[in-house]
């Protein structure tokens, strides 16, 4: 499946972006699970007034799993390009490896996560701007023609 294709530098950048998102979210989500009051991260529970949560436990768990573990699974898929035929139903881009599609989804998800967070907190900080930009950057790099070409499925690996 194109394992012999030369890996463009933009693909390496995508690896780094996914790793950064995953490792950062595992750290942040883990801290919120250890201290659901948010004090360890300097976030008072009062910022959750407009949310359905009483503590940071559920947001921490979601952060850890969706934006921590999942980007690292996607990173694995981007690097190894395993046979992910079981995910074919979630991939509308039949000519591209599902890990490429999930990278795009994570970019969208990151932006939505931050927008919902800023709405619920009724505040925007530099961290929100940074992670929104990270989501946009993941999308932009994922959509680069060289990256798309690298993750094209060859004729010997039909997945539709």
């Amino acid at each position: 499946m194109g394992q012999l294709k030369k890996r463009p530098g933009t693909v390496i950048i995508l690896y780094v972006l996914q790793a950064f998102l995953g490792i950062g979210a595992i750290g942040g989500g883990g801290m919120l699970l250890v201290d659901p009051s948010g004090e360890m991260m300097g976030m008072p529970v009062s910022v959750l007034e407009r949310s359905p949560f009483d503590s940071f436990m559920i947001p921490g768990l979601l952060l850890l799993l969706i934006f921590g573990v999942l980007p690292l699974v996607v990173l694995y898929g981007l690097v190894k390009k395993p046979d992910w035929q079981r995910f074919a139903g979630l991939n509308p881009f039949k000519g591209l490896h599902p890990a490429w599609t999930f990278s795009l989804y994570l970019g969208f998800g990151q932006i939505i996560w931050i927008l919902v967070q800023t709405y619920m907190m009724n505040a925007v900080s530099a961290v929100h701007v940074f992670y929104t930009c990270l989501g946009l950057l993941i999308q932009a790099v994922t959509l680069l023609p060289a990256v798309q070409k690298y993750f094209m499925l060859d004729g010997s690996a039909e997945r539709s």
Side-chain angles (χ1 to χ4, degrees):
M1 170 184 347
Q3 292 288 6
L4 301 177
K5 291 181 188 175
K6 185 177 182 332
R7 186 172 292 145
T10 50
V11 169
I12 305 293
I13 291 169
L14 184 59
Y15 294 167
V16 170
L17 294 172
Q18 291 292 353
F20 183 83
L21 176 61
I23 293 167
I26 286 173
M31 287 175 67
L32 292 173
L33 290 175
V34 168
D35 178 20
S37 73
E39 286 181 27
M40 186 185 294
M41 293 184 71
M43 295 188 316
V45 177
S46 63
V47 300
L48 296 175
E49 286 175 358
R50 293 177 58 173
S51 81
F53 309 110
D54 297 339
S55 77
F56 288 102
M57 179 66 73
I58 300 298
L61 184 62
L62 293 172
L63 180 62
L64 179 88
L65 295 176
I66 296 171
F67 296 105
V69 174
L70 191 55
L72 298 180
V73 171
V74 169
L75 175 60
Y76 169 80
L78 293 170
V79 172
K80 296 291 187 181
K81 296 184 189 176
D83 181 3
W84 281 0
Q85 189 170 357
R86 64 187 166 273
F87 299 116
L90 299 173
N91 184 9
F93 307 101
K94 299 303 179 197
L96 292 161
H97 192 277
W100 178 90
T101 303
F102 297 145
S103 178
L104 195 61
Y105 291 165
L106 280 170
F108 279 115
Q110 178 65 24
I111 294 164
I112 293 166
W113 173 264
I114 297 298
L115 289 174
V116 169
Q117 191 177 82
T118 56
Y119 171 77
M120 286 185 183
M121 295 173 78
N122 199 28
V124 177
S125 70
V127 171
H128 294 122
V129 173
F130 176 83
Y131 279 99
T132 299
C133 290
L134 178 61
L136 288 167
L137 191 57
I138 287 171
Q139 286 181 315
V141 173
T142 301
L143 290 169
L144 288 172
V147 173
Q148 287 186 53
K149 184 176 179 183
Y150 184 77
F151 290 103
M152 286 272 183
L153 300 173
D154 59 34
S156 66
E158 301 234 356
R159 302 202 191 283
S160 39

